[in-house]
């Protein structure tokens, strides 16, 4: 490695570690509310000790029909309904209140425990050390190489990718990984690839590879990558030393500095967590539909990533054209704590009916 390359790697690594301390993964509070995860990412402090989500026991126990792509979507998702004539049960629309941006609205009446939406997110990442074992598409734990009868595959080159035989047969995922993101990753300087906490970098490489060719172009299977333009990215001011590192990282990955920062802030603002049973967070997902779910301290829906799909289930009935909402915070937390998390992490003050009612009662 040349001295200049080594210097670039050092600057980029220092920058990414510094920015990652902010980004990695301050989606904690939102992940907790949206996806039923814990409020903290290993190694990070949560925005608030009360940011942990409602326990499964506090939300309706629900079941869902078999996943068309295989497997059971499990509890906490909602009962799947027949859509009929290809109609979608929900859609993203502009909210009547412009301060709320876009929202997710019902195209038909929905009952409690209904599954309103099920689709794979636009961009998914499995964290180290799970990335070499967990299938990217369905989040199933794959079997190691050499197991008799197994068609599961794990990348021996980058050691950051795995796919089960069923998903590989359906989507040719291993070939997509090998010819796209793996080649891009292995072209990065070795010194960078050997650093710790590389989840942010690999997600950027995955995004860049998917720009050339995504692993599915079917919107019924997976959200299009370009749908992420709808995501909010709460921007921050970075010092020039970190901007220099961002520019270096962008040059190495072939993304503009503006795109790198935007993606990092999208992760910070919108990423939802992926969990496996009895395991802490194993990954995160960026989804245009997840980001469209606005907050309410008395929500009518819950969202989770199950078997690789974003699943939105109803916690109570809604009428056609009603907006679906979720809670970004622990609904059991008192008013002052909920407002503090929303103000500090999401940069808005909640004025839902519950907050107004509780604030009035406290006068």
């Amino acid at each position: 490695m040349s001295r200049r390359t080594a210097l670039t790697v050092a600057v980029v690594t220092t920058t990414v570690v510094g920015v990652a301390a902010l980004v990695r993964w301050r989606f904690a509070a939102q992940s907790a509310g949206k996806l039923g995860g814990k409020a903290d990412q290993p190694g990070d402090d949560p925005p608030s000790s009360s940011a942990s989500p409602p326990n499964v026991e506090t939300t309706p126990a629900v079941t869902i029909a078999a996943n068309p792509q295989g497997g059971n979507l499990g509890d906490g998702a909602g009962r799947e309904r027949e859509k009929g004539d290809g109609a979608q049960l929900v859609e993203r629309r502009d909210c009547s209140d412009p301060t709320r941006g876009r929202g997710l609205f019902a195209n038909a009446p929905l009952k409690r425990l209904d599954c309103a939406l099920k689709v794979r997110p636009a961009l998914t990442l499995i964290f180290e050390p799970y990335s070499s074992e967990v299938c990217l598409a369905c989040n199933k734990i794959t079997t190691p190489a050499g197991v008799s009868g197994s068609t599961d595959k794990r990348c021996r080159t980058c050691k950051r990718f795995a796919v089960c035989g069923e998903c590989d047969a359906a989507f040719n995922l291993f070939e997509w990984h090998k010819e796209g993101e793996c080649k891009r990753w292995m072209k990065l300087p070795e010194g960078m690839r050997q650093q710790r906490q590389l989840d942010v970098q690999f997600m950027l490489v995955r995004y860049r590879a998917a720009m050339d060719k995504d692993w599915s172009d079917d919107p019924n299977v997976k959200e299009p990558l370009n749908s992420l333009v709808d995501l909010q990215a709460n921007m921050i001011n970075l010092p020039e030393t970190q901007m220099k590192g961002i520019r270096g990282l962008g040059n190495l990955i072939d993304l503009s500095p503006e795109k790198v920062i935007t993606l990092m802030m999208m992760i910070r603002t919108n990423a939802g967590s992926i969990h496996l049973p009895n395991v802490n967070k194993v990954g995160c997902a960026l989804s245009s539909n997840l980001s469209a779910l606005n907050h309410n301290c008395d929500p009518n829906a819950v969202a989770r990533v199950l078997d690789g799909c974003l699943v939105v289930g109803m916690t109570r009935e809604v009428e056609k054209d009603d907006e679906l909402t979720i809670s970004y915070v622990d609904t059991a937390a008192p008013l002052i704590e909920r407002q503090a998390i929303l103000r500090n992490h999401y940069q808005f003050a909640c004025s839902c009916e519950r907050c107004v009612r509780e604030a009035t009662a406290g006068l």
Side-chain angles (χ1 to χ4, degrees):
M1 182 187 301
S2 68
R3 182 177 179 182
R4 182 174 182 179
T5 301
L7 181 60
T8 300
V9 170
V11 171
V12 170
T13 299
T14 301
T15 297
V16 172
V17 170
V19 176
L22 176 67
V23 175
R24 198 189 59 91
W25 292 70
R26 291 295 305 276
F27 65 79
Q30 188 164 19
S31 299
K34 289 190 173 184
L35 301 176
K38 295 174 67 177
D40 59 310
Q41 177 67 17
D44 293 327
D45 294 327
S48 165
S49 59
S50 65
S52 57
N55 293 324
V56 173
E57 289 77 8
T58 67
T59 57
V62 292
T63 57
I64 190 168
N67 180 353
Q69 284 76 40
N72 190 321
L73 286 175
D75 292 338
R79 174 180 54 238
E80 190 170 23
R81 287 182 40 178
E82 293 293 333
K83 298 180 178 63
D85 301 324
Q88 298 296 316
L89 293 177
V90 295
E91 68 176 358
R92 299 192 302 276
R93 306 178 197 163
D94 291 334
C95 296
S96 57
D97 179 355
T99 64
R100 293 178 63 84
R102 304 199 80 189
L104 201 65
F105 292 83
N107 281 334
L110 296 169
K111 296 180 180 179
R112 180 177 178 271
L113 308 187
D114 274 349
C115 176
L117 176 70
K118 181 179 65 180
V119 66
R120 287 184 173 87
L123 193 63
T124 299
L125 179 76
I126 305 299
F127 299 147
E128 287 187 298
Y130 309 103
S131 56
S132 61
E133 301 176 0
V134 176
C135 176
L136 174 68
C138 72
N139 305 155
K140 162 189 166 185
I141 298 178
T142 60
T143 54
V147 175
S148 178
S150 173
T151 56
D152 297 353
K153 297 177 181 178
R154 298 178 176 184
C155 184
R156 298 181 181 181
T157 304
C158 69
K159 299 180 175 62
R160 297 189 61 92
F161 179 85
V163 61
C164 71
E166 185 177 354
C167 290
D168 193 44
F171 307 116
N172 200 23
L173 264 166
F174 192 77
E175 185 69 17
W176 171 82
H177 163 77
K178 183 177 66 174
E179 295 301 319
E181 63 185 15
C182 187
K183 283 187 175 180
R184 284 186 172 274
W185 181 254
M186 298 307 294
K187 286 180 180 179
L188 295 180
E190 184 178 1
M192 176 179 290
R193 289 186 280 110
Q194 291 178 344
Q195 298 295 323
R196 299 178 60 191
Q197 302 178 356
L198 295 176
D199 294 325
V200 173
Q201 294 96 310
F202 199 84
M203 197 165 194
L204 293 170
V205 169
R206 175 161 290 163
Y207 177 88
R208 181 61 186 86
M211 286 174 60
D212 292 337
K213 182 182 179 182
D214 210 344
W215 60 264
S216 177
D217 296 324
D218 185 349
N220 293 314
V221 171
K222 177 184 176 294
E223 294 175 346
L225 189 72
N226 61 14
S227 68
L228 295 180
V229 298
D230 289 340
L231 269 64
Q232 180 181 354
N234 292 336
M235 304 305 289
I236 57 173
N237 293 321
L238 296 176
E240 178 56 30
T241 53
Q242 290 191 340
M243 282 301 304
K244 182 178 180 180
I246 291 291
R247 285 190 286 269
L249 178 61
N251 290 335
L252 290 170
I253 297 177
D254 192 22
L255 286 173
S256 69
E258 294 75 19
K259 178 61 73 174
V260 171
I261 295 174
T262 298
L263 284 167
M264 284 183 164
M265 294 305 104
M266 282 182 179
I267 294 169
R268 178 181 185 270
T269 308
N270 291 283
S273 58
I274 299 171
H275 292 256
L276 292 181
N278 303 317
V279 181
N280 202 359
K281 293 184 184 73
V282 299
C284 72
L286 284 177
S287 161
S288 54
N289 286 293
L290 179 63
S291 70
L293 285 163
N294 283 317
H295 167 80
N296 194 299
C297 292
D298 185 20
N300 55 31
V302 63
R304 288 184 173 87
V305 175
L306 298 170
D307 292 353
C309 293
L310 168 67
V311 182
V312 179
M314 304 307 301
T315 59
R316 65 170 183 263
E317 293 186 4
V318 298
E319 298 299 323
K320 182 179 183 297
D321 295 323
D322 283 351
E323 183 181 4
L324 276 61
T325 59
I326 60 176
S327 178
Y328 296 176
V329 297
D330 184 354
T331 55
L335 172 66
I336 190 170
E337 291 187 18
R338 299 197 311 270
Q339 290 283 5
I341 295 169
L342 295 170
R343 181 175 58 254
N344 295 335
H345 188 78
Y346 299 97
Q347 302 175 10
F348 73 88
C350 183
S351 58
C352 70
E353 290 184 8
R354 179 186 171 188
C355 284
V356 172
R357 183 175 66 250
E358 292 180 3
T360 303
L363 294 177

